Amino acid sequence: MSESPASPLTTADGVPLKVSLRRAVRRSKIKAFLLVSPLLLFLGIAFVMPIIEMLWRSVDNPEVTTHLSRTVAALEGWDEESLPGEPVFAALVEDLREGQAARNLGLLSSRLNYEKSGMRSAINRTARQLRTIEPPYREALIELNDTWGELDTWKLIQRESTPYTLTYYLAAVDRQLTPTGEIVQVPDHLKVHVSLFWRTFWMSAAITGLTLLLGYPIAFLLASLPLRHSNLLMILVLLPFWTSLLVRTTTWIAILQSQGVLNDVLVALGVIADEARWQMIHNKTGTIVAMTHILLPFMILPLYSVMKTIPPSYMRAARSLGGKPFLSFRRVYFPLTIPGIAAGGILVFILSIGYYITPALVGGQSGRFITNYIAYHMQTSLNWGLAAAIASILLFVVIVFYMVFNRLIGVDKVKLG
């Protein structure tokens, strides 16, 4: 007798078991996605969209094409060897009349003034005198303001007539475009951003090193003490998290200023003379000291979480094999704490780069970070394009640093707790 083929396994409803399992897996994935969808939506709105907006604003250049549309159209085919003809000047007058009536020439004048000093006054003065201007417009505009008789002015208008620009990024690294399109350095008295970038990076590295130097012994003590004593010390470590950042920063101002607590103690002990008090605030020293204190817990906690997992028997075994205390520490204990050092280092360094409140309050002119100038361009100069370009460069540097860190150490080895 021939054997009949085995029938596939089915559920109570008669559905093949494989199909039922696939459906169950699909339903579980949908449920999991629905559970995390509020978080994904929040991240998209609060994190991804602002970054996209920042990157777009750093290259967006709509002012000239929007407010000088007739002028831009009339400049097509211009040879750039001599001043444009009468039709271009007539188009400029029409654009300025329209902008004056709509009261929206401020953005245009500010945008062009970023690239060439004096453009704001030229546009505003010309717009106010439009009622008295009669054809031929070329001679009338040049007589009204010499800026319209300069070849560089029209080259600038034509160059900035594109909807996107890289001039914000050039300004962020102290570069500019010449009328001929060459990239050159800005004058020495305008060079500020590159030095601020370097200052931000080396001071952040110094703060990271100091937090490691101070935090490593504290984390070791926390991991070695009995639980009753370590809990008390942990409360002291976490205390800064329960205090306002502004309060902590202003406290350091009271401590470090010339007539502050620290200088008074040093004068009372005879370490320094009263007329030779140390200037420890509104400079690099104040920024490094205050930020080291503020960011110290971010170094201690990753170190403690790693050290707590290291069995004390490792050091005892190294000592029993004849190793001296320092050699046992260097060869056995310290390599096991490298994941905690890496986690604390990358955390403190990235946080340091992005700080701006503390450097603004205690740093003065010499202790400010590049982030303070981002805030300046956002709130005072209103040059949002330049602020976005600086922030984009900072974001790029952080990503590169993260990639190098991942290549050399490996993010998978980092332990935060």
PDB file of all heavy atoms in Angstrom, residues 203-212 291-292 294-302 340-355 369 401 416:
ATOM      1  N   MET A 203      39.758  73.984  24.690  1.00  0.00           N
ATOM      2  CA  MET A 203      39.234  74.161  26.043  1.00  0.00           C
ATOM      3  C   MET A 203      38.303  73.013  26.419  1.00  0.00           C
ATOM      4  O   MET A 203      38.285  72.565  27.576  1.00  0.00           O
ATOM      5  CB  MET A 203      38.519  75.505  26.161  1.00  0.00           C
ATOM      6  CG  MET A 203      39.456  76.696  26.160  1.00  0.00           C
ATOM      7  SD  MET A 203      38.627  78.291  26.359  1.00  0.00           S
ATOM      8  CE  MET A 203      38.022  78.151  28.030  1.00  0.00           C
ATOM      9  N   SER A 204      37.532  72.511  25.468  1.00  0.00           N
ATOM     10  CA  SER A 204      36.692  71.341  25.742  1.00  0.00           C
ATOM     11  C   SER A 204      37.552  70.126  26.051  1.00  0.00           C
ATOM     12  O   SER A 204      37.227  69.332  26.948  1.00  0.00           O
ATOM     13  CB  SER A 204      35.783  71.057  24.548  1.00  0.00           C
ATOM     14  OG  SER A 204      34.898  72.130  24.309  1.00  0.00           O
ATOM     15  N   ALA A 205      38.669  69.979  25.315  1.00  0.00           N
ATOM     16  CA  ALA A 205      39.585  68.870  25.608  1.00  0.00           C
ATOM     17  C   ALA A 205      40.222  69.039  26.982  1.00  0.00           C
ATOM     18  O   ALA A 205      40.390  68.057  27.727  1.00  0.00           O
ATOM     19  CB  ALA A 205      40.663  68.792  24.522  1.00  0.00           C
ATOM     20  N   ALA A 206      40.576  70.277  27.350  1.00  0.00           N
ATOM     21  CA  ALA A 206      41.165  70.515  28.676  1.00  0.00           C
ATOM     22  C   ALA A 206      40.153  70.219  29.781  1.00  0.00           C
ATOM     23  O   ALA A 206      40.506  69.626  30.811  1.00  0.00           O
ATOM     24  CB  ALA A 206      41.643  71.968  28.771  1.00  0.00           C
ATOM     25  N   ILE A 207      38.904  70.616  29.564  1.00  0.00           N
ATOM     26  CA  ILE A 207      37.849  70.337  30.549  1.00  0.00           C
ATOM     27  C   ILE A 207      37.641  68.834  30.680  1.00  0.00           C
ATOM     28  O   ILE A 207      37.481  68.302  31.790  1.00  0.00           O
ATOM     29  CB  ILE A 207      36.549  71.056  30.142  1.00  0.00           C
ATOM     30  CG1 ILE A 207      36.722  72.568  30.273  1.00  0.00           C
ATOM     31  CG2 ILE A 207      35.368  70.582  30.980  1.00  0.00           C
ATOM     32  CD1 ILE A 207      35.631  73.365  29.602  1.00  0.00           C
ATOM     33  N   THR A 208      37.664  68.131  29.552  1.00  0.00           N
ATOM     34  CA  THR A 208      37.525  66.668  29.591  1.00  0.00           C
ATOM     35  C   THR A 208      38.671  66.031  30.366  1.00  0.00           C
ATOM     36  O   THR A 208      38.463  65.129  31.185  1.00  0.00           O
ATOM     37  CB  THR A 208      37.477  66.109  28.161  1.00  0.00           C
ATOM     38  OG1 THR A 208      36.405  66.728  27.441  1.00  0.00           O
ATOM     39  CG2 THR A 208      37.258  64.605  28.180  1.00  0.00           C
ATOM     40  N   GLY A 209      39.890  66.503  30.127  1.00  0.00           N
ATOM     41  CA  GLY A 209      41.039  65.964  30.848  1.00  0.00           C
ATOM     42  C   GLY A 209      40.967  66.241  32.347  1.00  0.00           C
ATOM     43  O   GLY A 209      41.290  65.371  33.170  1.00  0.00           O
ATOM     44  N   LEU A 210      40.535  67.437  32.727  1.00  0.00           N
ATOM     45  CA  LEU A 210      40.431  67.767  34.148  1.00  0.00           C
ATOM     46  C   LEU A 210      39.340  66.956  34.839  1.00  0.00           C
ATOM     47  O   LEU A 210      39.519  66.513  35.979  1.00  0.00           O
ATOM     48  CB  LEU A 210      40.157  69.263  34.312  1.00  0.00           C
ATOM     49  CG  LEU A 210      41.343  70.195  34.059  1.00  0.00           C
ATOM     50  CD1 LEU A 210      40.916  71.646  34.107  1.00  0.00           C
ATOM     51  CD2 LEU A 210      42.450  69.939  35.083  1.00  0.00           C
ATOM     52  N   THR A 211      38.215  66.773  34.165  1.00  0.00           N
ATOM     53  CA  THR A 211      37.155  65.958  34.769  1.00  0.00           C
ATOM     54  C   THR A 211      37.618  64.514  34.945  1.00  0.00           C
ATOM     55  O   THR A 211      37.267  63.863  35.941  1.00  0.00           O
ATOM     56  CB  THR A 211      35.882  65.994  33.914  1.00  0.00           C
ATOM     57  OG1 THR A 211      36.191  65.587  32.566  1.00  0.00           O
ATOM     58  CG2 THR A 211      35.268  67.377  33.892  1.00  0.00           C
ATOM     59  N   LEU A 212      38.412  64.008  34.000  1.00  0.00           N
ATOM     60  CA  LEU A 212      38.955  62.654  34.149  1.00  0.00           C
ATOM     61  C   LEU A 212      39.941  62.593  35.310  1.00  0.00           C
ATOM     62  O   LEU A 212      39.922  61.656  36.126  1.00  0.00           O
ATOM     63  CB  LEU A 212      39.628  62.214  32.855  1.00  0.00           C
ATOM     64  CG  LEU A 212      40.339  60.853  32.879  1.00  0.00           C
ATOM     65  CD1 LEU A 212      39.351  59.733  33.194  1.00  0.00           C
ATOM     66  CD2 LEU A 212      41.033  60.593  31.551  1.00  0.00           C
ATOM     67  N   MET A 291      33.127  75.060  34.253  1.00  0.00           N
ATOM     68  CA  MET A 291      32.604  73.953  33.452  1.00  0.00           C
ATOM     69  C   MET A 291      33.131  72.610  33.930  1.00  0.00           C
ATOM     70  O   MET A 291      32.437  71.595  33.804  1.00  0.00           O
ATOM     71  CB  MET A 291      32.929  74.179  31.972  1.00  0.00           C
ATOM     72  CG  MET A 291      32.120  75.304  31.350  1.00  0.00           C
ATOM     73  SD  MET A 291      32.366  75.454  29.558  1.00  0.00           S
ATOM     74  CE  MET A 291      31.834  73.850  28.998  1.00  0.00           C
ATOM     75  N   THR A 292      34.345  72.578  34.470  1.00  0.00           N
ATOM     76  CA  THR A 292      34.853  71.325  35.031  1.00  0.00           C
ATOM     77  C   THR A 292      33.983  70.882  36.200  1.00  0.00           C
ATOM     78  O   THR A 292      33.636  69.695  36.325  1.00  0.00           O
ATOM     79  CB  THR A 292      36.309  71.498  35.486  1.00  0.00           C
ATOM     80  OG1 THR A 292      37.121  71.831  34.357  1.00  0.00           O
ATOM     81  CG2 THR A 292      36.828  70.223  36.120  1.00  0.00           C
ATOM     82  N   ILE A 294      30.815  71.713  36.703  1.00  0.00           N
ATOM     83  CA  ILE A 294      29.464  71.399  36.231  1.00  0.00           C
ATOM     84  C   ILE A 294      29.417  70.030  35.548  1.00  0.00           C
ATOM     85  O   ILE A 294      28.465  69.256  35.721  1.00  0.00           O
ATOM     86  CB  ILE A 294      28.981  72.511  35.279  1.00  0.00           C
ATOM     87  CG1 ILE A 294      28.743  73.813  36.069  1.00  0.00           C
ATOM     88  CG2 ILE A 294      27.704  72.098  34.550  1.00  0.00           C
ATOM     89  CD1 ILE A 294      28.494  75.017  35.189  1.00  0.00           C
ATOM     90  N   LEU A 295      30.458  69.702  34.784  1.00  0.00           N
ATOM     91  CA  LEU A 295      30.451  68.466  34.000  1.00  0.00           C
ATOM     92  C   LEU A 295      31.117  67.290  34.704  1.00  0.00           C
ATOM     93  O   LEU A 295      31.139  66.184  34.153  1.00  0.00           O
ATOM     94  CB  LEU A 295      31.146  68.707  32.653  1.00  0.00           C
ATOM     95  CG  LEU A 295      30.460  69.720  31.734  1.00  0.00           C
ATOM     96  CD1 LEU A 295      31.292  69.959  30.479  1.00  0.00           C
ATOM     97  CD2 LEU A 295      29.074  69.245  31.348  1.00  0.00           C
ATOM     98  N   LEU A 296      31.642  67.503  35.888  1.00  0.00           N
ATOM     99  CA  LEU A 296      32.325  66.426  36.605  1.00  0.00           C
ATOM    100  C   LEU A 296      31.441  65.194  36.832  1.00  0.00           C
ATOM    101  O   LEU A 296      31.910  64.057  36.658  1.00  0.00           O
ATOM    102  CB  LEU A 296      32.870  66.950  37.934  1.00  0.00           C
ATOM    103  CG  LEU A 296      33.749  65.996  38.747  1.00  0.00           C
ATOM    104  CD1 LEU A 296      34.967  65.564  37.935  1.00  0.00           C
ATOM    105  CD2 LEU A 296      34.184  66.659  40.056  1.00  0.00           C
ATOM    106  N   PRO A 297      30.170  65.336  37.201  1.00  0.00           N
ATOM    107  CA  PRO A 297      29.339  64.134  37.386  1.00  0.00           C
ATOM    108  C   PRO A 297      29.186  63.294  36.121  1.00  0.00           C
ATOM    109  O   PRO A 297      29.031  62.069  36.209  1.00  0.00           O
ATOM    110  CB  PRO A 297      27.983  64.701  37.843  1.00  0.00           C
ATOM    111  CG  PRO A 297      28.305  66.031  38.441  1.00  0.00           C
ATOM    112  CD  PRO A 297      29.450  66.550  37.638  1.00  0.00           C
ATOM    113  N   PHE A 298      29.234  63.925  34.956  1.00  0.00           N
ATOM    114  CA  PHE A 298      29.100  63.178  33.713  1.00  0.00           C
ATOM    115  C   PHE A 298      30.321  62.299  33.435  1.00  0.00           C
ATOM    116  O   PHE A 298      30.245  61.390  32.607  1.00  0.00           O
ATOM    117  CB  PHE A 298      28.889  64.140  32.539  1.00  0.00           C
ATOM    118  CG  PHE A 298      27.587  64.879  32.590  1.00  0.00           C
ATOM    119  CD1 PHE A 298      27.521  66.164  33.082  1.00  0.00           C
ATOM    120  CD2 PHE A 298      26.418  64.275  32.155  1.00  0.00           C
ATOM    121  CE1 PHE A 298      26.316  66.847  33.129  1.00  0.00           C
ATOM    122  CE2 PHE A 298      25.213  64.945  32.203  1.00  0.00           C
ATOM    123  CZ  PHE A 298      25.156  66.236  32.697  1.00  0.00           C
ATOM    124  N   MET A 299      31.429  62.576  34.098  1.00  0.00           N
ATOM    125  CA  MET A 299      32.602  61.713  34.007  1.00  0.00           C
ATOM    126  C   MET A 299      32.596  60.665  35.114  1.00  0.00           C
ATOM    127  O   MET A 299      32.953  59.498  34.886  1.00  0.00           O
ATOM    128  CB  MET A 299      33.885  62.546  34.091  1.00  0.00           C
ATOM    129  CG  MET A 299      35.180  61.739  34.047  1.00  0.00           C
ATOM    130  SD  MET A 299      35.428  60.867  32.479  1.00  0.00           S
ATOM    131  CE  MET A 299      35.931  62.245  31.438  1.00  0.00           C
ATOM    132  N   ILE A 300      32.157  61.061  36.305  1.00  0.00           N
ATOM    133  CA  ILE A 300      32.201  60.142  37.441  1.00  0.00           C
ATOM    134  C   ILE A 300      31.237  58.977  37.256  1.00  0.00           C
ATOM    135  O   ILE A 300      31.598  57.816  37.512  1.00  0.00           O
ATOM    136  CB  ILE A 300      31.892  60.903  38.750  1.00  0.00           C
ATOM    137  CG1 ILE A 300      33.001  61.911  39.045  1.00  0.00           C
ATOM    138  CG2 ILE A 300      31.723  59.936  39.914  1.00  0.00           C
ATOM    139  CD1 ILE A 300      32.731  62.779  40.257  1.00  0.00           C
ATOM    140  N   LEU A 301      30.028  59.248  36.830  1.00  0.00           N
ATOM    141  CA  LEU A 301      29.007  58.193  36.769  1.00  0.00           C
ATOM    142  C   LEU A 301      29.366  57.069  35.800  1.00  0.00           C
ATOM    143  O   LEU A 301      29.236  55.889  36.158  1.00  0.00           O
ATOM    144  CB  LEU A 301      27.655  58.816  36.430  1.00  0.00           C
ATOM    145  CG  LEU A 301      27.079  59.753  37.506  1.00  0.00           C
ATOM    146  CD1 LEU A 301      25.766  60.362  37.049  1.00  0.00           C
ATOM    147  CD2 LEU A 301      26.909  59.023  38.822  1.00  0.00           C
ATOM    148  N   PRO A 302      29.812  57.334  34.554  1.00  0.00           N
ATOM    149  CA  PRO A 302      30.234  56.213  33.695  1.00  0.00           C
ATOM    150  C   PRO A 302      31.425  55.448  34.269  1.00  0.00           C
ATOM    151  O   PRO A 302      31.483  54.213  34.166  1.00  0.00           O
ATOM    152  CB  PRO A 302      30.595  56.893  32.371  1.00  0.00           C
ATOM    153  CG  PRO A 302      29.861  58.180  32.380  1.00  0.00           C
ATOM    154  CD  PRO A 302      29.836  58.610  33.811  1.00  0.00           C
ATOM    155  N   GLY A 340      34.721  52.900  30.611  1.00  0.00           N
ATOM    156  CA  GLY A 340      34.159  54.011  31.372  1.00  0.00           C
ATOM    157  C   GLY A 340      34.838  55.329  31.043  1.00  0.00           C
ATOM    158  O   GLY A 340      34.179  56.375  30.956  1.00  0.00           O
ATOM    159  N   ILE A 341      36.169  55.298  30.858  1.00  0.00           N
ATOM    160  CA  ILE A 341      36.892  56.509  30.463  1.00  0.00           C
ATOM    161  C   ILE A 341      36.409  56.994  29.102  1.00  0.00           C
ATOM    162  O   ILE A 341      36.193  58.199  28.879  1.00  0.00           O
ATOM    163  CB  ILE A 341      38.405  56.243  30.440  1.00  0.00           C
ATOM    164  CG1 ILE A 341      38.913  55.914  31.842  1.00  0.00           C
ATOM    165  CG2 ILE A 341      39.155  57.428  29.860  1.00  0.00           C
ATOM    166  CD1 ILE A 341      40.372  55.511  31.882  1.00  0.00           C
ATOM    167  N   ALA A 342      36.232  56.062  28.185  1.00  0.00           N
ATOM    168  CA  ALA A 342      35.768  56.433  26.844  1.00  0.00           C
ATOM    169  C   ALA A 342      34.370  57.028  26.900  1.00  0.00           C
ATOM    170  O   ALA A 342      34.089  58.049  26.251  1.00  0.00           O
ATOM    171  CB  ALA A 342      35.788  55.204  25.937  1.00  0.00           C
ATOM    172  N   ALA A 343      33.482  56.411  27.668  1.00  0.00           N
ATOM    173  CA  ALA A 343      32.111  56.916  27.763  1.00  0.00           C
ATOM    174  C   ALA A 343      32.079  58.299  28.389  1.00  0.00           C
ATOM    175  O   ALA A 343      31.432  59.223  27.879  1.00  0.00           O
ATOM    176  CB  ALA A 343      31.258  55.941  28.574  1.00  0.00           C
ATOM    177  N   GLY A 344      32.783  58.470  29.495  1.00  0.00           N
ATOM    178  CA  GLY A 344      32.816  59.780  30.139  1.00  0.00           C
ATOM    179  C   GLY A 344      33.496  60.827  29.285  1.00  0.00           C
ATOM    180  O   GLY A 344      33.062  61.980  29.240  1.00  0.00           O
ATOM    181  N   GLY A 345      34.569  60.430  28.590  1.00  0.00           N
ATOM    182  CA  GLY A 345      35.287  61.386  27.758  1.00  0.00           C
ATOM    183  C   GLY A 345      34.452  61.915  26.614  1.00  0.00           C
ATOM    184  O   GLY A 345      34.391  63.120  26.390  1.00  0.00           O
ATOM    185  N   ILE A 346      33.806  61.016  25.880  1.00  0.00           N
ATOM    186  CA  ILE A 346      33.012  61.476  24.740  1.00  0.00           C
ATOM    187  C   ILE A 346      31.797  62.258  25.209  1.00  0.00           C
ATOM    188  O   ILE A 346      31.377  63.238  24.578  1.00  0.00           O
ATOM    189  CB  ILE A 346      32.586  60.276  23.853  1.00  0.00           C
ATOM    190  CG1 ILE A 346      32.011  60.793  22.530  1.00  0.00           C
ATOM    191  CG2 ILE A 346      31.590  59.371  24.567  1.00  0.00           C
ATOM    192  CD1 ILE A 346      31.763  59.683  21.527  1.00  0.00           C
ATOM    193  N   LEU A 347      31.233  61.888  26.368  1.00  0.00           N
ATOM    194  CA  LEU A 347      30.074  62.598  26.897  1.00  0.00           C
ATOM    195  C   LEU A 347      30.445  64.006  27.324  1.00  0.00           C
ATOM    196  O   LEU A 347      29.774  64.987  26.957  1.00  0.00           O
ATOM    197  CB  LEU A 347      29.488  61.813  28.075  1.00  0.00           C
ATOM    198  CG  LEU A 347      28.151  62.291  28.639  1.00  0.00           C
ATOM    199  CD1 LEU A 347      27.075  62.222  27.569  1.00  0.00           C
ATOM    200  CD2 LEU A 347      27.751  61.440  29.840  1.00  0.00           C
ATOM    201  N   VAL A 348      31.523  64.145  28.082  1.00  0.00           N
ATOM    202  CA  VAL A 348      31.939  65.463  28.567  1.00  0.00           C
ATOM    203  C   VAL A 348      32.412  66.345  27.417  1.00  0.00           C
ATOM    204  O   VAL A 348      32.092  67.542  27.367  1.00  0.00           O
ATOM    205  CB  VAL A 348      33.044  65.314  29.631  1.00  0.00           C
ATOM    206  CG1 VAL A 348      33.638  66.673  29.994  1.00  0.00           C
ATOM    207  CG2 VAL A 348      32.484  64.632  30.875  1.00  0.00           C
ATOM    208  N   PHE A 349      33.161  65.781  26.481  1.00  0.00           N
ATOM    209  CA  PHE A 349      33.686  66.589  25.370  1.00  0.00           C
ATOM    210  C   PHE A 349      32.554  67.148  24.515  1.00  0.00           C
ATOM    211  O   PHE A 349      32.551  68.342  24.181  1.00  0.00           O
ATOM    212  CB  PHE A 349      34.625  65.739  24.519  1.00  0.00           C
ATOM    213  CG  PHE A 349      35.291  66.506  23.409  1.00  0.00           C
ATOM    214  CD1 PHE A 349      36.350  67.351  23.669  1.00  0.00           C
ATOM    215  CD2 PHE A 349      34.841  66.394  22.099  1.00  0.00           C
ATOM    216  CE1 PHE A 349      36.964  68.068  22.651  1.00  0.00           C
ATOM    217  CE2 PHE A 349      35.433  67.104  21.076  1.00  0.00           C
ATOM    218  CZ  PHE A 349      36.502  67.947  21.348  1.00  0.00           C
ATOM    219  N   ILE A 350      31.587  66.318  24.163  1.00  0.00           N
ATOM    220  CA  ILE A 350      30.482  66.786  23.319  1.00  0.00           C
ATOM    221  C   ILE A 350      29.623  67.797  24.066  1.00  0.00           C
ATOM    222  O   ILE A 350      29.177  68.806  23.496  1.00  0.00           O
ATOM    223  CB  ILE A 350      29.652  65.592  22.821  1.00  0.00           C
ATOM    224  CG1 ILE A 350      30.478  64.758  21.837  1.00  0.00           C
ATOM    225  CG2 ILE A 350      28.372  66.051  22.159  1.00  0.00           C
ATOM    226  CD1 ILE A 350      29.781  63.517  21.327  1.00  0.00           C
ATOM    227  N   LEU A 351      29.383  67.560  25.353  1.00  0.00           N
ATOM    228  CA  LEU A 351      28.630  68.537  26.141  1.00  0.00           C
ATOM    229  C   LEU A 351      29.384  69.853  26.257  1.00  0.00           C
ATOM    230  O   LEU A 351      28.777  70.930  26.210  1.00  0.00           O
ATOM    231  CB  LEU A 351      28.334  67.969  27.527  1.00  0.00           C
ATOM    232  CG  LEU A 351      27.286  66.855  27.615  1.00  0.00           C
ATOM    233  CD1 LEU A 351      27.192  66.318  29.031  1.00  0.00           C
ATOM    234  CD2 LEU A 351      25.918  67.350  27.154  1.00  0.00           C
ATOM    235  N   SER A 352      30.698  69.788  26.390  1.00  0.00           N
ATOM    236  CA  SER A 352      31.500  71.017  26.514  1.00  0.00           C
ATOM    237  C   SER A 352      31.418  71.856  25.245  1.00  0.00           C
ATOM    238  O   SER A 352      31.308  73.086  25.309  1.00  0.00           O
ATOM    239  CB  SER A 352      32.958  70.662  26.813  1.00  0.00           C
ATOM    240  OG  SER A 352      33.084  69.965  28.020  1.00  0.00           O
ATOM    241  N   ILE A 353      31.491  71.199  24.104  1.00  0.00           N
ATOM    242  CA  ILE A 353      31.444  71.934  22.842  1.00  0.00           C
ATOM    243  C   ILE A 353      30.143  72.730  22.712  1.00  0.00           C
ATOM    244  O   ILE A 353      30.131  73.849  22.197  1.00  0.00           O
ATOM    245  CB  ILE A 353      31.594  70.954  21.660  1.00  0.00           C
ATOM    246  CG1 ILE A 353      33.026  70.438  21.577  1.00  0.00           C
ATOM    247  CG2 ILE A 353      31.224  71.622  20.342  1.00  0.00           C
ATOM    248  CD1 ILE A 353      33.233  69.416  20.487  1.00  0.00           C
ATOM    249  N   GLY A 354      29.047  72.178  23.214  1.00  0.00           N
ATOM    250  CA  GLY A 354      27.750  72.820  23.039  1.00  0.00           C
ATOM    251  C   GLY A 354      27.355  73.794  24.120  1.00  0.00           C
ATOM    252  O   GLY A 354      26.282  74.395  24.031  1.00  0.00           O
ATOM    253  N   TYR A 355      28.197  74.010  25.145  1.00  0.00           N
ATOM    254  CA  TYR A 355      27.836  74.927  26.223  1.00  0.00           C
ATOM    255  C   TYR A 355      27.956  76.379  25.767  1.00  0.00           C
ATOM    256  O   TYR A 355      28.868  76.737  25.024  1.00  0.00           O
ATOM    257  CB  TYR A 355      28.750  74.697  27.427  1.00  0.00           C
ATOM    258  CG  TYR A 355      28.079  73.937  28.541  1.00  0.00           C
ATOM    259  CD1 TYR A 355      27.670  72.625  28.354  1.00  0.00           C
ATOM    260  CD2 TYR A 355      27.836  74.517  29.772  1.00  0.00           C
ATOM    261  CE1 TYR A 355      27.054  71.916  29.358  1.00  0.00           C
ATOM    262  CE2 TYR A 355      27.224  73.816  30.789  1.00  0.00           C
ATOM    263  CZ  TYR A 355      26.835  72.516  30.580  1.00  0.00           C
ATOM    264  OH  TYR A 355      26.214  71.818  31.580  1.00  0.00           O
ATOM    265  N   PHE A 369      33.007  80.607  23.873  1.00  0.00           N
ATOM    266  CA  PHE A 369      33.047  79.537  22.896  1.00  0.00           C
ATOM    267  C   PHE A 369      32.383  79.998  21.600  1.00  0.00           C
ATOM    268  O   PHE A 369      31.728  81.036  21.543  1.00  0.00           O
ATOM    269  CB  PHE A 369      32.341  78.299  23.432  1.00  0.00           C
ATOM    270  CG  PHE A 369      33.135  77.520  24.442  1.00  0.00           C
ATOM    271  CD1 PHE A 369      34.362  77.978  24.893  1.00  0.00           C
ATOM    272  CD2 PHE A 369      32.657  76.325  24.954  1.00  0.00           C
ATOM    273  CE1 PHE A 369      35.103  77.271  25.825  1.00  0.00           C
ATOM    274  CE2 PHE A 369      33.375  75.602  25.885  1.00  0.00           C
ATOM    275  CZ  PHE A 369      34.595  76.083  26.324  1.00  0.00           C
ATOM    276  N   PHE A 401      34.277  63.483  14.908  1.00  0.00           N
ATOM    277  CA  PHE A 401      34.888  63.032  16.162  1.00  0.00           C
ATOM    278  C   PHE A 401      34.288  61.701  16.614  1.00  0.00           C
ATOM    279  O   PHE A 401      35.006  60.799  17.049  1.00  0.00           O
ATOM    280  CB  PHE A 401      34.668  64.101  17.237  1.00  0.00           C
ATOM    281  CG  PHE A 401      35.076  63.662  18.617  1.00  0.00           C
ATOM    282  CD1 PHE A 401      36.412  63.609  18.983  1.00  0.00           C
ATOM    283  CD2 PHE A 401      34.119  63.297  19.548  1.00  0.00           C
ATOM    284  CE1 PHE A 401      36.784  63.200  20.258  1.00  0.00           C
ATOM    285  CE2 PHE A 401      34.477  62.883  20.819  1.00  0.00           C
ATOM    286  CZ  PHE A 401      35.813  62.833  21.173  1.00  0.00           C
ATOM    287  N   LEU A 416      27.720  53.136  29.775  1.00  0.00           N
ATOM    288  CA  LEU A 416      27.194  54.281  30.510  1.00  0.00           C
ATOM    289  C   LEU A 416      26.479  53.861  31.789  1.00  0.00           C
ATOM    290  O   LEU A 416      25.955  54.701  32.506  1.00  0.00           O
ATOM    291  CB  LEU A 416      26.232  55.078  29.618  1.00  0.00           C
ATOM    292  CG  LEU A 416      26.874  55.765  28.429  1.00  0.00           C
ATOM    293  CD1 LEU A 416      25.821  56.381  27.542  1.00  0.00           C
ATOM    294  CD2 LEU A 416      27.857  56.826  28.896  1.00  0.00           C
TER     295      LEU A 416
END
